[in-house]
Each structure stands twice: as structure tokens, then as C-alpha cells.
Amino acid sequence: MLKDVTLGQFLPGVSPIHRLDPRAKILFLIALIVFIFITSNYISLALVAAFIVALVFMTRIPVKMYLKSMKMILFIVLFTGIINLFYGRGEPLVKIGFLQITEAGINNAVFVAVRIAVLILASSMLTFTTSPTDLTDALERLLKPLTVFHIKVHEIAMMMTIALRFVPTLLEETDKIMSAQKARGADMESGNLIKRIKALIPVLIPLFVSAFRRAEELATAMECRCYQGGSGRTRMKRLHFGKADLYGLAACLLVLCGVIICNIFLPATVR
Amino acid sequence: MKDFIKVENVSFRYDSNDTVNKYVLNDISLNINKGEFVALLGHNGCGKSTMAKLLNAMLLPEKGKVFVNGLDTSEPDVSYDVRKTVGLVLQNPDNQLVASIVEEDVAFGPENLGIEPDEIRRRVDEALKAVDMYEYRAHAPYKLSGGQKQRVAIAGIIAMQPQCLVLDEPTAMLDPKGRDEVMATIKKLNREKGITIVLITHYMDEAVQADRVVVMDSGKILTQGSPREVFSEVELLKRHRLDVPQATELMYRLVGMGFPAESLPLDEDECIDRLSKILK
């Protein structure tokens, strides 16, 4: 039941996107998010969306996987889209009671929906093509300058690595405990919301107890392997910006120019 | 080298203010030579896991001393060097793996030691090949079987190139197949790389494969010697509610019923051999 979570899953592959430097990928994602939000008319929005869709195809990951991760947030897309539909100003096209739909409203709705959808597409692309360890590793290296402000970057990255490592283990354990409780006659599927939440308590308590026990053992194991925090530690993987990352950078700059030109020379449809 | 690890009159208890409970380890002494394969046997709670943690300075003795390669573990600032020399593998493979990719997990130890990236790469590949998990280097640990996970955990320790490997019931949570895989790996490391092995177990069939068996009972050493010596003392072991290998047990009972046998067998092959002699 907990197995079909696609968001944040890593799908190994050998596509050009997979091979980009993870630090570059994080920066490109941030850049793309910025691009999506500075677009002010349909042409530039289409430009960014087309760029991202092209990248999606370059990952050589079945489009089905992307659609699956979109499905999870479909409700949010529709909800914000519909809310925005009624928020436009100007001449009403349709009037239902106190609600009115205007042209600006329709534009807003389309923009918001497309922006969120593209956002999810771009971030799933990052997690699909980058292993969690690469991701945390890249974050650690990108955030390294923050150690100047006494932010414990290494410790945060380590916690993320361990958390990601134990997600499948704890999911499996949850399944086991639920089966064990069901075998003893626990009823988790019927009754109202409050009743069902109460039924989860006998699952959560053993889960927490075992998580703490695991944490203690893991700490012992890490100590046995001479873990002493971030100082004096080296990494096996060397990261370097390569040619592919430069091409990526060039493509991003090109899209940025496109967006800026469109924004300047074409009338803005949303503010 | 003699006396690679030296445990001298060590007593230990977890709570030193506790006057009610007895010591977990009681004035125990043990020497382990370099390149030796020692099996530590005993009941649950006889102090064998405590012993494991004393050997790599995870715990320090209350009385007595533990020397590893000449280093006194109770001295300040030696724990790092001791742990580099004596690697400890724990029971549950799931709780020992840190990273979500096999090779990155194996790299964890060497990374902590501050080794150069190229050298880490070399060591990781070598360690994974030594435990026959090289082709799984890019896999996620949670998709592996128990025996495979435990072998990855062992690789993670030997990538630090310790001279001694202490394994605290490494097969307790595994199925028979996984147990065989792990035992084969341990023996291979001992034979081919000359790594000293201290295997803590309560499976008699595993203890038989060691050079020396040390039997512990309530914080003390009950008896020790070669597997053949130890398991011929069937009465002593039985008195302390410890088992002997099944083949030995069978022959012991037959001898008790009056069958002639020169010595007790240790495994199935020997047992078949003796039985066929009797039946002839």
C-alpha cells in the first residue's frame, strides 16, 4: 500500500540528464523555477514548459512515471486553478451568483495550473535522475559556505542521508506491524476518521520503539566505523562540472533570454 | 605474532553503582593471536557481546586491561586507532548500513578515516570483491537479502583494512542460505587475507569451523581449545545447558549405549565415516 509513492523516487539510468553533476542539477532546477514564475505571457510560459518537456524526454524515463507523480498533486493543481478562476478583475464573462469569471481570471487559472504542473515535472525530473545520496551530497557541498554562520551543514546532510536510507526499512516495518496487529484482530479499515486514527496507535508505538532501537544500534555501528563528524572526512566521489553541465548552463541562459525578450516585447497577460 | 589482542583480568558491569547485579564479565583473561579464527560460544547474557565491544573500545573495562596490538584501550585518544585495527560487525545488518547505495555505504568507513578519493574507490572495489558483492555495488541495500546485506556490512568494515574482525552473532537474523554465505565469506577473509577473526555465535556448527573455541558462561571462560577438544567434553557442556553439534550428540548417545568409537565426530561426514565403520 505504501509502495506506490513515486514522488522522490530515484530511477537509475544513463541518460545525459542522469549524468549531469548533481550540484548543477539542483542549480538548474532553481533556475527553472525562477523562469516559470517570471513568465508573464503565454509565449514565454510555453517556451519554459516546452524546454522542461524536452528535458523530460531526454531523461528516457517512461512518461508514465511522471504522470504518476503528477496524479498525486492533481487535486492541488485543480483546486488552485479553480480558485484563481474567480479571482480575476474586469468585465465578467459568466456570472454565477456572487462568483464571476473574467478573462483575467481564466488567464490566472491557466497560469497557476501550468506553473504548478511544470514545477512538479521539473522537481520529479531531479529526483528521478539523481540518487538520494548524490542529492544530499550535492546539497552539502552547495551549502558548505553556510558553515561560516555556524550552520551544521554536514550534520544536516548526514541526517538526510540516514532518513532517506531508512524510509524503505521503516515502511516495511510498518507493514509488518500492521499485519501483526491485524492478525490479533485489530480493525484498521472501518469506522470514522477518529476511530481509524485511534486504531493506528498500536501501530505507531511499536514503530517508534523499534525506530529508537535502530537509531541506537546505527549509532554504535557508525562509531565502530570511526565516524567523528564532518571534520577530517573525505568523500569517495569527486564531483566536477563537465562539458554536459556547460551545455546545460548554455541552454538555461538561452531560455532565460527568450523569457526576458518575450516578457519585454509582448503584452503581459498576467501581472 | 603472539598476543595480538590481550584481555587481562577484565571485569565489567554496565552500571558501576549497581551493587545488586553481578558483573557481566568476571575477572576474565583471553589472548588472541594474529591470523587466528576464534569462536566465542555461550548462552544469551553470558557476556559475549560485552566482550566484543570491549575488544574495539566501544566499552572500557572496569577492572583489568584490554590491549589491542599493544595499545591499552582505556587510554584516552586511542579508541580511533583501536577501531581502525579491530572492526566490529553487529547482528542486525539493517541497522548497520548508513547509505542508500551499496558502494557508498562501504565507502563510509574509509571516508571517516580521511583517505584520498582514489584510494577509497580502490578499497571499496576490493572489499566488495572479497565478499562477492561487487556486481551489486550500485544496488539499494533494502532490496538485498539478509545474507547479502550482512556481507555488505562486512565489506564496510574490511574497507577500513582492519587486522581483526569481531563479528557479534552475524548470522543470528539470517536464513540457512544467508548463514552459509556469511560463514564462507568469514573463512575466506581469514584464509586469504589473514584477517584475525573473532566470531561470536551460538550455532555449534559455526563454532566447529574455527581454529579455537572459547566457551563462556556467566562472565567467565568455561573451557577453551580446538573444536575437537572442546566438543569432546560433552558432559561439561551439557551441565551448563550448552549444546554440541548434532553429529557429536548422536555419536555421544550411541557410545553411551555401548557402541565402540575412538573419538567423537564434529560434522556429518566424520559421523558417517564412524557409523559405517561400526556397521561393517
Side-chain angles (χ1 to χ4, degrees):
Chain A
M1 61 154 229
L2 299 158
K3 295 267 147 64
D4 33 75
V5 179
T6 52
L7 204 69
Q9 205 177 52
F10 167 53
L11 305 164
V14 288
S15 75
I17 309 287
H18 279 90
R19 282 195 304 252
L20 285 180
D21 186 300
R23 288 171 298 180
K25 272 193 265 192
I26 293 176
L27 294 178
F28 291 161
L29 176 70
I30 295 169
L32 286 176
I33 292 171
V34 173
F35 294 171
I36 297 164
F37 283 94
I38 59 169
T39 55
S40 62
N41 56 54
Y42 283 112
I43 306 287
S44 53
L45 185 68
L47 183 72
V48 178
F51 180 58
I52 290 172
V53 169
L55 289 177
V56 161
F57 280 105
M58 270 174 78
T59 61
R60 291 186 216 145
I61 287 167
V63 181
K64 211 174 74 191
M65 292 305 294
Y66 288 100
L67 293 181
K68 251 193 194 166
S69 65
M70 300 274 275
K71 211 170 89 187
M72 288 173 57
I73 49 93
L74 190 66
F75 172 74
I76 303 172
V77 174
L78 287 178
F79 183 77
T80 44
I82 289 167
I83 292 283
N84 269 284
L85 203 55
F86 302 110
Y87 265 86
R89 287 202 185 135
E91 202 61 23
L93 298 172
V94 188
K95 230 176 165 166
I96 319 157
F98 64 97
L99 296 170
Q100 54 180 22
I101 298 174
T102 62
E103 199 189 321
I106 294 171
N107 287 337
N108 276 341
V110 172
F111 261 83
V112 165
V114 172
R115 274 173 179 167
I116 297 178
V118 168
L119 197 72
I120 294 302
L121 212 58
S123 22
S124 352
M125 186 158 58
L126 177 70
T127 55
F128 282 171
T129 60
T130 321
S131 85
T133 7
D134 276 351
L135 216 52
T136 44
D137 198 15
L139 269 180
E140 182 180 346
R141 293 184 209 215
L142 281 174
L143 297 180
K144 194 121 236 179
L146 292 184
T147 40
V148 177
F149 305 108
H150 299 285
I151 293 172
K152 298 198 179 295
V153 176
H154 167 75
E155 280 75 5
I156 294 169
M158 197 69 211
M159 283 194 283
M160 278 170 67
T161 311
I162 292 170
L164 287 167
R165 149 74 185 82
F166 276 91
V167 164
T169 311
L170 290 178
L171 282 183
E172 201 183 323
E173 182 134 29
T174 314
D175 266 352
K176 265 191 206 160
I177 296 172
M178 281 175 95
S179 308
Q181 300 293 29
K182 274 184 202 162
R184 294 169 201 184
D187 178 13
M188 294 179 198
E189 263 114 34
S190 63
N192 58 24
L193 192 66
I194 293 170
K195 226 176 163 183
R196 276 201 226 178
I197 290 171
K198 273 188 179 162
L200 273 181
I201 293 173
V203 173
L204 290 180
I205 290 173
L207 189 66
F208 268 90
V209 171
S210 112
F212 278 110
R213 209 173 38 227
R214 278 178 194 282
E216 204 185 329
E217 253 193 74
L218 181 72
T220 309
M222 284 170 74
E223 252 189 278
C224 285
R225 294 165 80 178
C226 294
Y227 181 68
Q228 295 178 319
S231 60
R233 201 171 131 76
T234 49
R235 303 309 303 264
M236 174 173 69
K237 275 198 180 154
R238 284 204 175 106
L239 296 181
H240 54 269
F241 289 103
K243 233 185 214 165
D245 302 302
L246 278 181
Y247 292 146
L249 183 66
C252 279
L253 285 177
L254 219 62
V255 174
L256 177 64
C257 292
V259 170
I260 292 173
I261 292 168
C262 289
N263 277 356
I264 293 173
F265 293 103
L266 293 170
T269 32
V270 287
R271 277 167 293 112
Chain B
M1 191 179 98
K2 280 262 168 197
D3 300 341
F4 170 52
I5 297 177
K6 213 153 87 177
V7 178
E8 276 183 357
N9 307 91
V10 164
S11 295
F12 182 85
R13 53 186 168 176
Y14 280 93
D15 186 356
S16 54
N17 298 321
D18 191 347
T19 47
V20 185
N21 286 320
K22 284 187 298 179
Y23 282 91
V24 184
L25 292 178
N26 219 332
D27 195 25
I28 203 167
S29 296
L30 179 69
N31 284 4
I32 293 163
N33 299 332
K34 203 158 192 179
E36 208 180 6
F37 179 176
V38 178
L40 215 58
L41 269 179
H43 278 300
N44 284 338
C46 73
K48 52 195 197 315
S49 293
T50 309
M51 189 67 152
K53 287 187 177 149
L54 281 164
L55 294 182
N56 84 333
M58 287 299 294
L59 295 174
L60 298 175
E62 193 182 307
K63 289 181 203 155
K65 293 224 178 289
V66 177
F67 293 96
V68 171
N69 218 357
L71 288 171
D72 179 352
T73 59
S74 58
E75 250 167 62
D77 307 325
V78 297
S79 61
Y80 186 80
D81 290 310
V82 168
R83 282 173 204 159
K84 238 170 29 180
T85 317
V86 178
L88 178 60
V89 177
L90 304 169
Q91 189 182 86
N92 188 342
D94 261 328
N95 299 349
Q96 293 176 71
L97 305 178
V98 182
S100 9
I101 304 284
V102 166
E103 61 174 14
E104 284 172 22
D105 185 79
V106 176
F108 181 74
E111 284 177 344
N112 290 335
L113 298 178
I115 291 161
E116 288 303 304
D118 294 331
E119 171 67 9
I120 299 181
R121 179 87 255 171
R122 204 186 57 71
R123 283 190 184 194
V124 167
D125 291 349
E126 196 188 302
L128 281 171
K129 278 175 189 157
V131 299
D132 285 321
M133 286 298 290
Y134 187 64
E135 58 268 48
Y136 292 95
R137 62 191 180 281
H139 280 234
Y142 74 93
K143 285 183 179 160
L144 303 176
S145 75
Q148 290 173 326
K149 272 187 249 185
Q150 193 60 285
R151 272 147 66 201
V152 171
I154 293 174
I157 298 291
I158 60 172
M160 293 163 66
Q161 300 190 335
Q163 298 171 54
C164 176
L165 204 57
V166 180
L167 302 108
D168 188 0
E169 301 197 30
T171 59
M173 305 191 83
L174 308 182
D175 56 6
K177 189 170 163 279
R179 221 151 51 195
D180 288 345
E181 288 169 11
V182 169
M183 276 311 289
T185 306
I186 293 171
K187 282 202 284 183
K188 187 178 154 199
L189 291 174
N190 178 243
R191 227 177 24 243
E192 290 174 13
K193 292 193 183 278
I195 298 176
T196 311
I197 305 279
V198 179
L199 173 68
I200 292 168
T201 183
H202 54 237
Y203 290 108
M204 303 301 147
D205 304 336
E206 291 176 0
V208 163
Q209 302 174 33
D211 298 331
R212 179 154 60 113
V213 178
V214 178
V215 184
M216 285 178 67
D217 192 45
S218 44
K220 286 190 163 146
I221 292 178
L222 189 63
T223 179
Q224 58 174 313
S226 73
R228 199 169 294 284
E229 285 163 15
V230 167
F231 290 121
S232 60
E233 299 180 77
V234 182
E235 284 89 2
L236 176 74
L237 294 176
K238 291 233 167 204
R239 215 163 39 239
H240 288 86
R241 286 177 293 107
L242 283 158
D243 284 326
V244 291
Q246 278 184 334
T248 317
E249 170 90 31
L250 174 68
M251 213 58 204
Y252 173 71
R253 289 200 193 174
L254 287 173
V255 170
M257 289 166 73
F259 285 94
E262 63 269 42
S263 66
L264 295 173
L266 285 177
D267 56 25
E268 285 82 359
D269 291 339
E270 280 184 27
C271 189
I272 291 168
D273 200 47
R274 306 271 148 94
L275 283 175
S276 58
K277 265 186 199 158
I278 294 171
L279 292 172
K280 250 177 209 166

